[in-house]
Amino acid sequence: TTSIMVNGTMWNLSISRLSTDKHKITISDFCAKNDSQYLYADGTVSADSIDIFKLSMTRINIGRTLSVLKPAKKFGIQGLASGYLSISSALSKPAFYGSFQIEDFRFMDSYHGLLTADCRWNQQARQVELDGLMVDEGVETTGFSGIYIPQSKTIDVSLAANHTDLRFLNTWTRTVFRELGGRATGNLRLFGSLPGLDLEGEAILEDGYFVQDAINSTFLIKHDTLWFEPGRMLFRDVEFYDEKGHDGIM
């Protein structure tokens, strides 16, 4: 066993076997672990569809992993990932499928509890397809289904929101509001080329609030409807209140 320090965490690496052949790499029983995380790899990387490479993990910290891979870049995804991924014909026409869950999942500024999902590679369309569910027990459930196209870094995801935390919108609304939050119920679509994403759809907003620095006020929306269009969030005759109980319509 060999120990190495990665981003402030000590990892123990098990003895494994690595062999190479013409256009083929075989990894046998590679294991990396610490007190709370586990990573295991086994299989063959080649152009042959019968050769399968398997990767499994337990409670891998996504934020720390991404910061190691691209230290100069900030990522809006946090959580502890567990699951597996199987890849065949990795060096020619890759095909993969997997299943995973992420504990304490955070997207941008919003918290969504436990995320579970299945993913697969569509070779004909050259896109990753995924579907799953996010559950913050007793607070929200959010179903999702969509695609990611690596070549154009494009995503298109349908969201079935049920009291879903909307604080991730702060990424796009900070030029107008210092902070925006609340919970949404409705059908939404998150799409676009990373990092310039857009949102469209209609949702009921509950316990909404937004902080406006220009007039040094926080406004509250108890229950109303929001509409989203590409590049726009629409308020139509929405009743709002400030901290002192004054009300209005926008």
Side-chain angles (χ1 to χ4, degrees):
T1 302
T2 301
S3 296
I4 62 171
M5 182 73 72
V6 180
N7 203 23
T9 300
M10 186 65 71
W11 287 82
N12 296 317
L13 307 183
S14 68
I15 297 175
S16 60
R17 187 167 62 89
L18 173 66
S19 61
T20 59
D21 199 352
K22 188 176 182 180
H23 308 303
K24 183 178 293 192
I25 301 172
T26 299
I27 300 172
S28 301
D29 294 324
F30 171 81
C31 176
K33 62 181 180 179
N34 56 37
D35 292 338
S36 60
Q37 300 177 91
Y38 179 86
L39 182 66
Y40 178 80
D42 184 82
T44 299
V45 176
S46 76
D48 198 324
S49 61
I50 66 171
D51 288 329
I52 298 176
F53 179 76
K54 295 180 180 180
L55 180 69
S56 61
M57 66 192 77
T58 301
R59 307 190 84 240
I60 297 297
N61 189 306
I62 296 175
R64 289 184 179 179
T65 302
L66 292 174
S67 68
V68 170
L69 296 176
K70 291 189 175 182
K73 191 172 183 179
K74 292 184 178 180
F75 294 90
I77 297 176
Q78 301 285 337
L80 301 174
S82 302
Y84 73 90
L85 186 68
S86 294
I87 308 170
S88 62
S89 55
L91 300 183
S92 56
K93 295 181 178 180
F96 70 79
Y97 61 90
S99 181
F100 60 92
Q101 67 176 36
I102 303 176
E103 303 170 49
D104 293 327
F105 179 66
R106 295 179 181 274
F107 176 62
M108 305 302 184
D109 293 330
S110 57
Y111 178 80
H112 301 286
L114 178 65
L115 179 150
T116 57
D118 296 317
C119 64
R120 59 210 156 268
W121 174 251
N122 184 323
Q123 176 61 36
Q124 184 174 358
R126 302 193 66 76
Q127 64 190 25
V128 180
E129 300 172 343
L130 71 161
D131 51 81
L133 183 68
M134 299 183 292
V135 178
D136 185 5
E137 196 67 41
V139 180
E140 75 160 72
T141 60
T142 307
F144 60 90
S145 178
I147 62 170
Y148 170 65
I149 304 175
Q151 186 173 5
S152 59
K153 296 183 179 179
T154 299
I155 72 168
D156 194 333
V157 178
S158 297
L159 303 171
N162 185 5
H163 295 93
T164 299
D165 186 351
L166 279 181
R167 286 178 294 175
F168 68 87
L169 292 176
N170 283 300
T171 302
W172 298 283
T173 61
R174 282 198 175 100
T175 56
V176 180
F177 307 122
R178 177 162 60 85
E179 185 179 352
L180 178 147
R183 296 197 171 273
T185 298
N187 295 314
L188 301 171
R189 177 184 172 224
L190 185 67
F191 65 100
S193 298
L194 295 171
L197 298 179
D198 252 316
L199 193 69
E200 67 178 19
E202 178 182 333
I204 300 297
L205 175 66
E206 295 180 296
D207 300 324
Y209 65 90
F210 53 94
V211 181
Q212 174 50 263
D213 278 343
I215 54 177
N216 193 32
S217 294
T218 298
F219 297 98
L220 310 175
I221 301 172
K222 294 180 180 178
H223 184 100
D224 223 307
T225 303
L226 282 181
W227 288 265
F228 298 92
E229 295 179 356
R232 299 197 298 172
M233 181 172 62
L234 306 178
F235 300 88
R236 296 172 180 168
D237 297 328
V238 173
E239 294 186 35
F240 67 91
Y241 308 82
D242 66 12
E243 310 101 308
K244 297 179 180 179
H246 303 128
D247 61 356
I249 294 177
M250 63 178 170

